[in-house]
Amino acid sequence: MFKQKISRRSFLSISTMAAASLALDWRKIAVYASELGPKKDYPVVIIGAGLGGLCCAAYLARTGFPVTLLEQHNIPGGYATSFEREGGKFNFEVSLHGTSIHNNGTARCLKELDVLRRLELVLLPDVYRLKTPKLDISVPQQNPDGYISLLNTHFPHESKGIKSFVEEMIGVSKEIDELSLNKNKFIKILFPFQYPKLWRIRKKTLAQMLEEHVTDPELKHVLSALWGYYGLPPEKLSAFYYANATGGYLTNGSYYIKNRSQALSNALAEVIEESGGVIHYDTTVEKILLKDGAVSGVETRNRKTFPAKAVVSNAGAMTTLKKMLPANTVPSDYLQKLETYNPSISSFIVWLGLNQEIRGKIKGAGIHVASGKGPDADYESCMKGAVDEGSYSVSIYDNIYPGYSAPGTSSLMLLFLCGYEPWRKYQKGYRTGQKDDYNKEKERWTNLLIGRAEKDVIPNLSTMIKVKESATPLTNWRYTRNPRGAIYGFEQSMDNAFMNRIKNRTPVPGLYLAGAWGNPGGGFAGVLRSGQASFTKILEDWR
């Protein structure tokens, strides 16, 4: 009857993916939890207070389970943090440019946790501004038809393909949301017909998806302009991941979390502690303890132990499975498969505090500057560290809302995605405190990026700078311990994305992953859903 073959493995993968966007029913959760007996017999330890770990811990704490969260840094959030300079005069955002946490499964997740009401979301003036040697366009908020019309004015010969491509992305995003609203309920054999767009896109790269709709190379570059948000160029990037996220941005809009992304991390931490959970900062976990082959707790660097019936790791997957566990604990074929996955691209960031207000003087809040050579060429420039020629972005946070910075000042972020290799030669010196060569190279990159931003976006930028700070992939490693300073966990490559994405339940009984290294992957929405998915897996296994 059906021409499409659907394997059991594919459906198990679909089920795992859907669980990440599951809208939870607290009444059922309460029943499940009550069937387990005394909750004190089910302690959980969370390793790492990134958004994935925070989200999972918040769900467990609100359900009444004893939760202990251990974080090596002195604040929660991982990359969702901020820092101050000049005695607090400047408060810099670490990572957030814009998020689609609005009117979708991630927003419902935060509402379930009593977090959403604690946040103030501010709609950006546009989804993003794209600047190339030939184009300078601003993508309108919550207006896909306006985006289509905008592109039609520049590429009238591709009007049909523009419309179909944008509608395809929006359709993928809507089907994911429908799956979330249906609480993961679907008839397996009918999945390709209930969610046809998800099924059709499951094995495609973004480049293959583009090829089905448009032919103009420059238009392809424009349509894939947000590739940097997901860390891979179209030839390597999962079409599903790009379409789902970008379709959500176009439909629901791009938002900023006022005052900084730290507010989200703090709100999750508050919920955990208000619900009886415990958070220990400045605490590094070194070992995951086992008893009879299952997790029994963790041991910290200072040899303190915490018992646990389940351990959820927000740390890197390979660090968790190869360094924290006793040797020969994890099946060799599982580790061999994980070793074929690559850590994502890293970043070089320059934060600038200006001595004057530029709000409204430059168009846009998030400005993507492309070389015009195409995403694949820009990606290669990023990987080899060609900071003087690859694509980069400028975030003018004061254009999001008045009062972002102190009166008479402005706050900027310049971001250049980059690979780890250009910085590997400085790794030993960085870790041993011998940073002279490292600091010289960092200063060189900083000045190059400032010079490009001055030429392309903000005239006379260098004359306005009062405070200057920068971070390399080694800085990312220092604060997160992510291998190669990865900012998106594992890459969203075709062998580790969507239905093929690594599962949050590991082969070690009682050990789970949460965050960018797990399912569904990186980004604010992705890691929050990963924490939610791990929570559901824990309850399933305990039952």
Side-chain angles (χ1 to χ4, degrees):
M1 181 177 178
F2 300 122
K3 293 183 179 180
Q4 290 168 300
K5 276 191 176 179
I6 308 163
S7 70
R8 174 174 174 78
R9 181 178 179 183
S10 292
F11 278 121
L12 290 174
S13 298
I14 293 169
S15 178
T16 300
M17 172 274 299
S21 58
L22 183 62
L24 301 181
D25 187 328
W26 283 104
R27 290 171 298 181
K28 289 184 178 179
I29 289 172
V31 172
Y32 295 164
S34 66
E35 293 173 351
L36 296 173
K39 292 178 182 176
K40 65 179 179 62
D41 295 336
Y42 294 85
V44 182
V45 170
I46 311 287
I47 303 172
L51 292 182
L54 287 166
C55 182
C56 187
Y59 270 113
L60 287 160
R62 279 176 61 79
T63 314
F65 293 104
V67 177
T68 303
L69 196 159
L70 307 176
E71 167 57 40
Q72 65 170 0
H73 198 9
N74 58 10
I75 54 174
Y79 286 123
T81 52
S82 62
F83 65 95
E84 295 182 345
R85 289 294 182 267
E86 289 278 305
K89 186 173 183 179
F90 291 98
N91 186 359
F92 292 115
E93 171 65 59
V94 166
S95 69
L96 183 61
H97 303 89
T99 178
S100 59
I101 299 176
H102 176 73
N103 194 33
N104 57 15
T106 310
R108 290 190 290 274
C109 163
L110 294 178
K111 185 176 181 180
E112 290 165 357
L113 292 175
D114 193 38
V115 168
L116 194 60
R117 69 172 181 83
R118 304 171 191 236
L119 304 178
E120 184 176 351
L121 300 178
V122 182
L123 189 68
L124 271 63
D126 42 39
V127 178
Y128 63 96
R129 176 185 168 194
L130 174 64
K131 197 171 186 297
T132 76
K134 295 181 179 180
L135 281 178
D136 189 346
I137 60 174
S138 295
V139 178
Q141 288 277 26
Q142 302 172 330
N143 187 1
D145 290 337
Y147 178 51
I148 292 170
S149 297
L150 174 65
L151 294 181
N152 284 343
T153 62
H154 295 280
F155 304 94
H157 56 291
E158 292 273 24
S159 59
K160 183 178 178 181
I162 291 169
K163 187 174 189 294
S164 62
F165 180 80
V166 173
E167 288 179 348
E168 186 82 359
M169 289 196 297
I170 292 170
V172 168
S173 180
K174 286 183 176 178
E175 286 190 0
I176 283 292
D177 201 48
E178 289 170 10
L179 198 56
S180 170
L181 290 169
N182 288 335
K183 300 181 180 180
N184 196 29
K185 294 177 181 177
F186 56 85
I187 301 172
K188 291 183 177 181
I189 199 65
L190 295 180
F191 186 93
F193 306 96
Q194 291 175 305
Y195 304 101
K197 295 186 184 301
L198 295 182
W199 188 254
R200 284 198 302 268
I201 205 173
R202 73 194 188 282
K203 295 182 179 180
K204 295 177 183 176
T205 65
L206 176 56
Q208 291 170 330
M209 180 183 173
L210 284 163
E211 192 65 33
E212 293 177 349
H213 296 273
V214 298
T215 59
D216 189 310
E218 186 179 354
L219 175 58
K220 289 179 181 178
H221 300 166
V222 171
L223 289 170
S224 59
L226 290 183
W227 70 268
Y229 274 3
Y230 316 111
L232 285 173
E235 291 287 346
K236 299 180 179 182
L237 180 62
S238 161
F240 160 76
Y241 211 68
Y242 188 89
N244 177 37
T246 306
Y249 278 118
L250 293 174
T251 305
N252 297 318
S254 182
Y255 288 79
Y256 188 72
I257 299 171
K258 191 176 181 179
N259 290 316
R260 308 289 188 272
S261 64
Q262 187 73 62
L264 170 59
S265 304
N266 290 346
L268 284 162
E270 288 171 5
V271 166
I272 293 166
E273 293 178 324
E274 288 173 3
S275 303
V278 177
I279 304 177
H280 294 288
Y281 298 107
D282 298 308
T283 304
T284 301
V285 173
E286 290 199 338
K287 297 179 181 179
I288 297 172
L289 307 176
L290 302 180
K291 182 178 180 181
D292 299 327
V295 301
S296 61
V298 304
E299 182 178 294
T300 66
R301 181 172 293 171
N302 61 5
R303 300 296 182 265
K304 187 173 182 179
T305 60
F306 294 85
K309 189 171 180 64
V311 172
V312 180
S313 179
N314 199 173
M318 297 307 291
T319 301
T320 302
L321 296 165
K322 292 190 71 174
K323 294 184 179 180
M324 293 185 180
L325 287 164
N328 302 317
T329 297
V330 183
S332 59
D333 58 342
Y334 181 84
L335 282 180
Q336 288 171 4
K337 179 63 176 175
L338 258 61
E339 286 170 348
T340 66
Y341 302 149
N342 288 320
S344 78
I345 201 166
S346 188
S347 62
F348 180 80
I349 299 177
V350 177
W351 293 275
L352 298 175
L354 306 186
N355 61 11
Q356 57 187 272
E357 298 180 13
I358 64 169
R359 173 177 165 79
K361 297 178 181 179
I362 306 295
K363 181 176 64 175
I367 305 162
H368 298 258
V369 183
S371 69
K373 300 175 184 178
D376 294 296
D378 282 345
Y379 173 76
E380 290 304 318
S381 294
C382 291
M383 292 302 290
K384 68 182 183 182
V387 69
D388 55 338
E389 61 183 57
S391 58
Y392 69 100
S393 68
V394 179
S395 295
I396 306 176
Y397 289 103
D398 294 275
N399 279 346
I400 301 176
Y401 63 86
Y404 184 94
S405 302
T409 69
S410 300
S411 303
L412 300 181
M413 177 199 288
L414 313 181
L415 170 67
F416 176 78
L417 294 176
C418 72
Y420 189 71
E421 289 309 310
W423 296 93
R424 186 181 293 278
K425 60 185 175 184
Y426 304 105
Q427 174 180 291
K428 183 177 180 181
Y430 183 90
R431 296 183 181 184
T432 58
Q434 300 173 353
K435 298 184 180 181
D436 289 347
D437 291 341
Y438 165 82
N439 286 331
K440 288 178 183 177
E441 184 68 356
K442 185 171 74 166
E443 183 69 11
R444 186 179 75 86
W445 279 45
T446 298
N447 292 333
L448 282 171
L449 201 52
I450 290 172
R452 293 188 67 189
E454 184 171 53
K455 176 178 176 289
D456 298 331
V457 182
I458 307 173
N460 303 314
L461 172 61
S462 59
T463 66
M464 310 176 197
I465 298 171
K466 182 175 178 60
V467 174
K468 180 174 62 176
E469 187 71 73
S470 52
T472 72
L474 288 167
T475 315
N476 293 343
W477 168 84
R478 174 187 170 192
Y479 284 102
T480 68
R481 289 300 190 267
N482 280 350
R484 303 185 201 173
I487 57 175
Y488 300 129
F490 281 127
E491 288 181 338
Q492 288 287 339
S493 52
M494 293 307 297
D495 62 343
N496 190 22
F498 192 27
M499 295 180 181
N500 295 324
R501 186 70 180 180
I502 180 177
K503 308 304 181 285
N504 292 344
R505 181 191 282 121
T506 76
V508 181
L511 178 61
Y512 306 82
L513 303 176
W517 300 92
N519 191 303
F524 277 46
V527 295
L528 287 167
R529 290 185 177 190
S530 181
Q532 183 191 47
S534 295
F535 167 68
T536 65
K537 294 303 176 189
I538 290 170
L539 287 192
E540 287 176 11
D541 291 348
W542 282 350
R543 292 188 74 209

